[in-house]
Amino acid sequence: MAKKELWKGNEAMAEAAIRAGCDAYFGYPITPQSEIPEYMSLHMPQEGRVFLQAESEVATINYLYGAGGSGKRVMTSSSSLGVSLMQEGLSWLSGAEVPCVLLNCMRGGPGLGTIQPGQADYYQMTRGGASGDHHFVCLAPGNMQEAVDMIQESFDIADQYRNPCLIVVDGLIGQMMEPIEWHEVKKRDLPPKTWAADGRKGRAEHNVIKTIFVEPEDDNEFNEHLARKFEEMKKNEVRYEKTQCDDAEIVIVAYGTPARVSLSVVRKLRAQGVKVGLFRPQTIWPYPEEALHEVAAQDSVKRILCVEMSEGQMIDDVRLSVEGQKPIDFYGKAGGVVPTVEEIAEQVEKAVKEAVR
Amino acid sequence: MTVVYQKSKGLTDVELHYCPGCHHGIAHKLIAETLEEMNAIDTAVGVCPVGCSVFADKYFSCDMFNAAHGRAPAVATAIKRTHPDQPVFTYQGDGDLASIGAAEIVHAAARGEKITTIFINNAIYGMTGGQMAPTTLIGQKTTTSPLGRTVEQAGMPMRMAEMLSTLDGVAYAERVCLTDIPNLNKAKKAIKKAFQLQMEGAGFTFVEILSTCPTNWGFSPLDANKWLKENMVPYYPLGVVKDVTKEVAK
Ligand SMILES: Cc1ncc(C[n+]2csc(CCOP(=O)(O)OP(=O)(O)O)c2C)c(N)n1
Ligand code: SF4
Ligand SMILES: [Mg+2]
């Protein structure tokens, strides 16, 4: 078994990308993720790879277009408002089918908000602010070990679908220190990048990376192709974890740090005989819709409690999954405040009372 | 039979969509010839913009990118950094380069990215129907300066070759035009020199081409040529703006 090492979240996630074979990293400093570009600035050149501090997030995402489109494994990281500036570029990467990895270490918003951890980018990540029909696999690790494992896999996911893959963490995961193990993540079978525009080198035709269509029918056909790809992602990439849901009366739905706090709530209340469970999406797109639907369908389940570090964004997906089978409560803290065990426990107890009414 | 002239292998057989008298096509030809002469069609990667040259990726026979409006220098930077031995160029209009993409071009130049930028200055937004560009001349009428551009409203037109040349990363900058054969020959030489200096690792190289847009200027092709010479050239002087190889020699 690999030995445990103590790492800071952001540095571990940067190292995970290097281990995944990231060829080039581009990024613009922003708290709470600046340790990632800092780590990359030292270690990427040591590995003979490319590091470049970008002049802006607008430029950053276009660096990804250039490096990814010419066949390289490429990554950036940013936080919330920085990611907002990348939206146009993300749409282009999607439209040109250029793989890349983008890590959003979310902070409180809107605007400058706070540098403390937040989850108010759920819409931005899963719905996006960019034009066009597009989706990205959004991996949402709940702890550091999962984060480093997922980052290593994210490059394969991006390459497999020729699509950006997003890592969605809240600032707490980036800032905390935790022991992790480095294990070999299973590699996917990936086709060679014959589409890359990296110089013809004897190829009969020139390759082009572009997003434009002249004929509406052609663009429609391309969108249908993308839609089929998104269906494949939905089929293959959904991930979630259930903790003591089988006999639960109250099921908490949470991801990232709130899920971690909720796990302590489950342990604490179970010890007191309260039948509470935790449903934790590990991908927020594709959302584990069916699995949550089934949990909500269980006879034991009386109410669902959605907990977020926002004023309620994921709750839309919870509603869409539960489809009115059971009542849904919400508890959220925004602007960088992390909900406590006591607060969430109180919400569960309230739900229990509601349930017996 | 001797072949006295043939289309460059740097171009595909796709028919160009440019308006009659538009200089975009001539600029394409000069770049394509340069790539062919430098034996670079098989290694070069070009980045075309959003603007009338949005379809340039169909016309050049080397590998191509079409970049988001203004972002070609960033795209080209990343290609060059990850493929340092290959020629990389951007082809950009004046709205693309001097307006929406001002930050990307300035920083690529400042870093001395070893790329070549071909800058098509036609003093107007061609593709979107003739709106004012940062390069539109004072008094010039466009669809968003219907009474003519004024300094009070929009400031003075930007001289990009001069502005970028203040940056140490710029190895070579020249302004040319394509109105007649002697100028065409000078333009070809400038483009070739820019690519050569790029491959020698000298730094960022920049060729500004004063170009016509007969359609949006509202002139015949010949009158457009005349207008360019009489109005653009006095404000945008032709010639080498910066050449570090000459400076070293001095
Ligand atoms: C983000 C964004 N904003 C605006 C546009 C619309 N647009 C397309 S081309 C263009 C101007 C192009 O002018 P220029 O760069 O001078 O090129 P020309 O057509 O004159 O060669 C604009 C504003 C766009 N495509 N993308
Ligand atoms: S609109 Fe102007 S720049 Fe565009 S193709 Fe026509 S003449 Fe050329
Ligand atoms: Mg123009």
Side-chain angles (χ1 to χ4, degrees), chain A residues 35-72:
Chain A
E35 294 87 354
I36 298 179
E38 285 165 4
Y39 188 92
M40 291 304 212
S41 69
L42 180 65
H43 291 89
M44 289 292 274
Q46 284 175 352
E47 300 279 334
R49 308 189 203 171
V50 173
F51 166 85
L52 183 63
Q53 180 167 324
E55 60 269 42
S56 69
E57 289 87 352
V58 175
T60 299
I61 195 73
N62 287 285
Y63 289 128
L64 266 56
Y65 186 75
S70 56
K72 299 293 182 181

Side-chain angles (χ1 to χ4, degrees), chain A residues 130-188:
Chain A
S131 58
D133 274 321
H134 54 69
H135 294 287
F136 311 111
V137 171
C138 297
L139 302 171
N143 56 59
M144 262 180 64
Q145 182 66 55
E146 207 167 81
V148 297
D149 291 346
M150 281 181 167
I151 284 169
Q152 292 182 78
E153 216 185 330
S154 66
F155 286 89
D156 275 18
I157 295 175
D159 282 346
Q160 178 177 334
Y161 298 101
R162 278 189 66 183
N163 200 59
C165 181
L166 314 185
I167 316 281
V168 188
V169 298
D170 53 71
L172 208 68
I173 293 178
Q175 290 301 321
M176 71 189 172
M177 286 192 84
E178 205 167 53
I180 53 163
E181 281 172 21
W182 291 107
H183 16 77
E184 279 287 309
V185 174
K186 199 171 161 282
K187 299 259 181 295
R188 298 186 182 202

Side-chain angles (χ1 to χ4, degrees), chain B residues 17-19 22 24 52 122 126-127 212-216:
Chain B
H17 72 282
Y18 300 112
C19 308
C22 175
H24 267 303
C52 277
N122 56 10
M127 190 195 205
T212 53
C213 177
T215 301
N216 288 303

Side-chain angles (χ1 to χ4, degrees), chain A residues 78-135:
Chain A
S78 186
S79 180
S80 300
L81 56 163
V83 176
S84 302
L85 276 181
M86 299 187 191
Q87 290 294 336
E88 183 205 20
L90 267 176
S91 165
W92 276 70
L93 282 142
S94 174
E97 302 198 85
V98 172
C100 74
V101 172
L102 186 162
L103 187 151
N104 182 0
C105 193
M106 295 182 286
R107 57 192 253 179
L112 212 44
T114 73
I115 58 169
Q116 314 305 330
Q119 289 185 320
D121 293 357
Y122 187 90
Y123 288 150
Q124 178 171 231
M125 303 312 282
T126 62
R127 270 57 169 177
S131 58
D133 274 321
H134 54 69
H135 294 287

